[in-house]
Amino acid sequence: WTQHPDFVERLFKNYGDRVFALDHRTLGASPISNALTLVAALPDNARLHVVTHSRGGLVGEVLAHACSRDAGGLDAFDGDEFRQHRDELTELIARAGEKHVQVERLVRVACPARGTLLASKTSSTSSRERR
């Protein structure tokens, strides 16, 4: 914010007091859980223009799907090992629906399109070793 005051001034000129910044937890919380945190903080009927960076893109993407009331993706989380994710997605879709939250625009910058290895045992493995 302090490094780009002209941009921040334009941002607040266009959006007023409707700017939210989510500093999401990256370890110990799923992107679904982080999206739930954001939805809980939003007012009813929020229309969102979301800009994300890195892992935040995963949060934005799951939020956009939930706001479209797309429950079809729950089939991908079949099985007991995915119960927590399935339950969180179901809750996210319900809460976004109750509040009538809409994602109108989503910009992902440097988002890991296939997820992240941040908390995995292979995160310290070089990219050459993973190939």
Side-chain angles (χ1 to χ4, degrees):
W1 298 99
T2 59
Q3 294 176 0
H4 304 282
D6 294 338
F7 176 77
V8 173
E9 182 179 334
R10 286 195 325 257
L11 181 68
F12 280 93
K13 182 178 181 184
N14 287 320
Y15 289 96
D17 64 351
R18 300 169 310 197
V19 176
F20 288 81
L22 175 65
D23 187 9
H24 68 93
R25 296 179 302 154
T26 56
L27 291 176
S30 72
I32 305 164
S33 176
N34 285 308
L36 275 165
T37 298
L38 178 58
V39 168
L42 292 171
D44 288 350
N45 302 306
R47 294 175 29 220
L48 305 177
H49 296 177
V50 181
V51 178
T52 68
H53 179 259
S54 192
R55 189 175 180 269
L58 301 176
V59 177
E61 190 167 327
V62 75
L63 178 64
H65 282 289
C67 289
S68 71
R69 317 309 181 248
D70 179 14
L74 291 175
D75 295 343
F77 295 94
D78 194 25
D80 288 339
E81 67 272 22
F82 298 113
R83 180 183 311 269
Q84 179 180 350
H85 296 303
R86 194 172 50 247
D87 292 348
E88 285 180 337
L89 278 169
T90 301
E91 182 181 357
L92 178 60
I93 292 167
R95 285 192 181 181
E98 290 165 3
K99 289 185 142 191
H100 305 285
V101 176
Q102 297 176 26
V103 175
E104 294 182 343
R105 293 185 176 115
L106 173 62
V107 177
R108 296 178 355 164
V109 178
C111 176
R114 292 182 8 183
T116 178
L117 299 175
L118 189 62
S120 73
K121 293 178 183 177
T122 60
S123 66
S124 61
T125 307
S126 73
S127 61
R128 180 175 286 165
E129 291 173 312
R130 285 193 299 265
R131 288 187 214 163

